[in-house]
């Protein structure tokens, strides 16, 4: 919602095209400039925070000043951040009951690195940390390190706070998990426990350009991210992720997202929608 | 088709819950307090019960404790749906045999999530 007094009034088709082009070039985002209501609703809160009287004034400033900070704030605001704890439920059960125990047995003692790539406001990363915490009987000495990243600094700030509204903690989170892993802050807010918070490291990452130096990950969750990217960006991101996975590592995409449409770097695991393994026949860039 | 008994003293809440649950495939009956709900259950145990806490005549928690003592009363999945949101109350509900707990206000996604969590969907 754009809120009182903050609409797309004064915006021209060229303004929307500029915004869509910025999102595409900077982050590979696929934004349809004809969906003006969508762009307006995502930019209105930013325009208010930046003290512009209208979204059109912010775009005017964008054109006039070309200020990097504002450009990135606009691109980040255009990302799609809808998320929930244990979204779609089944991938997290597979992670907890099948994949993580199997990798733990295979690797023996040492850390298993799990990455929530495009974690938005952190619910996915916390779900992974809670699921890992619930596992009994990992190989002795086996530990799980969870990393959360997003393009949006504002999303990461919320993720790091671990603070969620009553409405947010009811989206996907079973009540026993809420009681086990959260503390009630007040009548409307809950905070994830320090024990779970300390399991996660957060970092701002643009999946299109920042994958170098991330290190290797045994499991990557990159769910409902590539569907918001254009075709070229999907290929770049997926092949970049493949380069960070060992040959026995796993990638989860959204249940309605398919890696195979964009690259040969992954092969789907039969009967496990959204779950992929590295394709050994595909040579990733070093 | 699975059946769900919606127990709430607010006619508006029952109407909203009925609409949401019918959309996800439940056959709905309604009761406005715990005593009326018990009468429904004694006649035919539903698969699910969406249960308010604070009601006249018999509260939700009193109803739940009695339900679990009834023949076949262990069967229904009971999802509390209440403005009571402090941890002690939630624990009390779970210990009395609730399967899940919704803190009001709620929407269709939350109801669907909670019903899926306990295997009703």
């Amino acid at each position: 919602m754009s809120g009182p007094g903050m609409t797309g009034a004064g915006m021209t088709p060229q303004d929307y095209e500029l915004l869509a082009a910025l999102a595409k070039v900077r982050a590979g985002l696929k934004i349809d400039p004809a969906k003006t209501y969508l762009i307006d609703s995502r930019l209105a809160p930013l325009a208010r925070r930046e003290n512009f009287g209208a979204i059109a004034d912010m775009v005017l400033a964008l054109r006039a000043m070309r200020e990097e900070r504002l450009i990135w704030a606009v691109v980040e605001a255009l990302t799609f951040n809808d998320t929930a704890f244990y979204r779609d439920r089944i991938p997290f059960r597979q992670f907890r009951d099948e994949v993580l125990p199997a990798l733990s047995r295979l690797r023996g003692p040492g850390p298993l690195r799990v990455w929530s790539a495009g974690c938005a406001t952190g619910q996915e990363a916390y779900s992974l940390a809670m699921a890992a915490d619930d596992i009994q009987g990992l190989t002795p000495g086996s530990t799980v390190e969870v990393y959360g990243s997003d393009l949006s600094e504002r999303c990461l700030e919320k993720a790091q706070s671990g603070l969620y509204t009553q409405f947010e903690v009811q989206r996907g989170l079973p009540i026993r998990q809420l009681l086990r892993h959260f503390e009630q802050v007040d009548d409307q807010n809950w905070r994830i426990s320090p024990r779970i918070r300390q399991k996660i490291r957060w970092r701002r990452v643009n999946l299109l350009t920042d994958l170098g130096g991330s290190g290797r990950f045994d499991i990557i969750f990159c769910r409902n991210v590539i569907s918001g990217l254009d075709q070229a960006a999907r290929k770049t991101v997926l092949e970049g992720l493949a380069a960070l996975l060992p040959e026995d590592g796993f990638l989860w995409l959204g249940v309605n997202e398919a890696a195979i449409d964009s690259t040969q770097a992954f092969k789907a695991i039969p009967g496990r929608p959204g779950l992929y393994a590295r394709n050994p026949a595909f040579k990733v860039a070093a | 088709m699975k059946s769900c008994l919606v127990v709430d003293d607010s006619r508006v809440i029952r109407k909203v819950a009925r609409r949401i649950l019918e959309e996800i495939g439940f056959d709905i009956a309604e009761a406005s307090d715990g005593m009326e709900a018990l009468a429904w259950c004694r006649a035919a145990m539903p698969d699910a019960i969406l249960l308010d806490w604070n009601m006249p005549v018999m509260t939700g928690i009193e109803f739940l404790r009695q339900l679990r003592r009834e023949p076949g009363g262990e069967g229904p999945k009971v999802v509390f749906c209440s403005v009571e949101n402090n941890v002690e109350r939630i624990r009390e509900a779970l210990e009395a045999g609730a399967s899940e707990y919704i803190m009001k206000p709620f929407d269709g996604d939350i109801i669907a999530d909670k019903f899926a969590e306990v295997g009703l969907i």
Side-chain angles (χ1 to χ4, degrees):
Chain A
M1 279 183 291
S2 50
M6 188 63 75
T7 66
M11 291 282 285
T12 65
Q14 290 74 28
D15 288 335
Y16 290 110
E17 278 161 21
L18 169 73
L19 293 167
L22 267 181
K24 178 183 164 86
V25 170
R26 296 296 179 113
L29 299 178
K30 184 179 61 181
I31 305 275
D32 182 350
K35 292 188 175 168
T36 58
Y37 63 95
L38 192 76
I39 296 173
D40 292 343
S41 67
R42 291 183 185 176
L43 291 185
L46 174 65
R48 267 197 300 275
R49 282 200 306 278
E50 295 285 334
N51 295 316
F52 290 102
I55 299 168
D57 295 339
M58 184 168 71
V59 176
L60 197 63
L62 208 61
R63 287 184 188 280
M65 296 188 289
R66 295 273 165 185
E67 184 195 349
E68 279 295 305
R69 186 199 62 80
L70 184 59
I71 289 172
W72 274 113
V74 166
V75 172
E76 289 180 15
L78 288 170
T79 57
F80 180 63
N81 294 319
D82 187 46
T83 186
F85 290 101
Y86 295 104
R87 187 174 182 176
D88 301 323
R89 202 170 279 106
I90 291 169
F92 294 92
R93 288 187 184 155
Q94 292 166 345
F95 167 78
R96 182 194 65 198
D97 298 339
E98 300 173 28
V99 173
L100 205 52
L103 273 179
S104 165
R105 281 194 297 275
L106 202 65
R107 301 284 174 78
L112 290 165
R113 301 181 85 224
V114 180
W115 181 19
S116 169
C119 68
T121 42
Q123 284 91 326
E124 181 177 82
Y126 284 123
S127 300
L128 293 168
M130 288 187 284
D133 192 71
D134 288 343
I135 297 176
Q136 306 292 320
L138 281 185
T139 301
S142 186
T143 57
V144 180
E145 297 174 355
V146 179
Y147 296 79
S149 79
D150 199 81
L151 179 69
S152 166
E153 292 279 10
R154 283 184 65 81
C155 283
L156 283 175
E157 280 170 22
K158 179 175 169 71
Q160 283 180 278
S161 77
L163 190 65
Y164 295 95
T165 64
Q166 180 169 291
F167 195 80
E168 288 167 326
V169 297
Q170 297 202 89
R171 288 192 65 198
L173 192 64
I175 196 68
R176 288 173 179 80
Q177 290 272 300
L178 179 70
L179 295 183
R180 180 169 178 205
H181 295 298
F182 282 75
E183 298 159 352
Q184 192 168 24
V185 176
D186 55 38
D187 199 42
Q188 286 302 314
N189 294 286
W190 298 72
R191 191 189 298 277
I192 193 100
S193 70
R195 196 165 58 82
I196 297 296
R197 278 172 77 192
Q198 71 184 13
K199 290 176 187 285
I200 307 180
R201 300 286 173 269
W202 306 98
R203 193 179 139 197
R204 181 182 181 277
V205 172
N206 181 349
L207 295 173
L208 198 61
T209 57
D210 298 342
L211 292 185
S214 298
R216 304 271 276 182
F217 293 93
D218 300 291
I219 295 168
I220 300 175
F221 271 60
C222 187
R223 306 181 63 236
N224 309 301
V225 173
I226 65 163
S227 49
L229 304 180
D230 67 46
Q231 190 61 29
R234 281 181 202 182
K235 180 175 163 63
T236 303
V237 168
L238 286 169
E239 292 181 2
L241 295 179
L244 303 181
L245 275 178
E247 283 189 4
D248 58 358
F250 291 95
L251 168 73
W252 260 281
L253 299 178
V255 288
N256 296 316
E257 294 175 322
I260 205 159
D261 295 345
S262 308
T263 175
Q264 299 302 307
F266 292 97
K267 56 178 186 177
I269 307 288
R272 300 283 186 275
L275 181 57
Y276 290 84
R278 281 263 311 273
N279 177 2
F282 184 83
K283 298 297 171 206
V284 298
Chain B
M1 183 180 269
K2 285 186 177 168
S3 57
C4 181
L5 177 61
V6 175
V7 190
D8 199 303
D9 59 335
S10 160
R11 194 171 53 83
V12 175
I13 296 287
R14 291 200 306 272
K15 190 175 173 185
V16 170
R18 170 188 280 275
R19 202 193 65 232
I20 292 169
L21 286 162
E22 282 180 343
E23 266 180 29
I24 52 180
F26 281 88
D27 185 27
I28 302 298
E30 296 181 22
S32 58
D33 63 60
M35 197 61 84
E36 196 184 329
L38 266 183
W40 270 105
C41 291
R42 284 169 180 155
M45 281 293 171
D47 298 302
I49 300 172
L50 186 73
L51 181 63
D52 188 20
W53 192 301
N54 299 306
M55 292 178 291
V57 186
M58 180 186 271
T59 66
I61 195 80
E62 288 166 346
F63 160 78
L64 176 57
R65 289 187 178 122
Q66 182 59 42
L67 172 75
R68 293 310 191 204
R69 290 195 288 266
E70 297 282 321
E74 73 287 349
K77 303 276 189 188
V78 175
V79 178
F80 255 101
C81 184
S82 171
V83 292
E84 297 286 348
N85 69 351
N86 70 67
V87 169
E88 290 72 28
R89 279 296 172 101
I90 298 171
R91 283 192 205 287
E92 191 182 348
L94 294 176
E95 281 162 15
S99 309
E100 257 297 341
Y101 199 105
I102 294 169
M103 297 173 277
K104 289 177 181 170
F106 60 88
D107 67 5
D109 286 344
I110 289 174
I111 288 197
D113 260 355
K114 297 287 187 179
F115 273 54
E117 182 58 35
V118 296
L120 284 163
I121 299 174

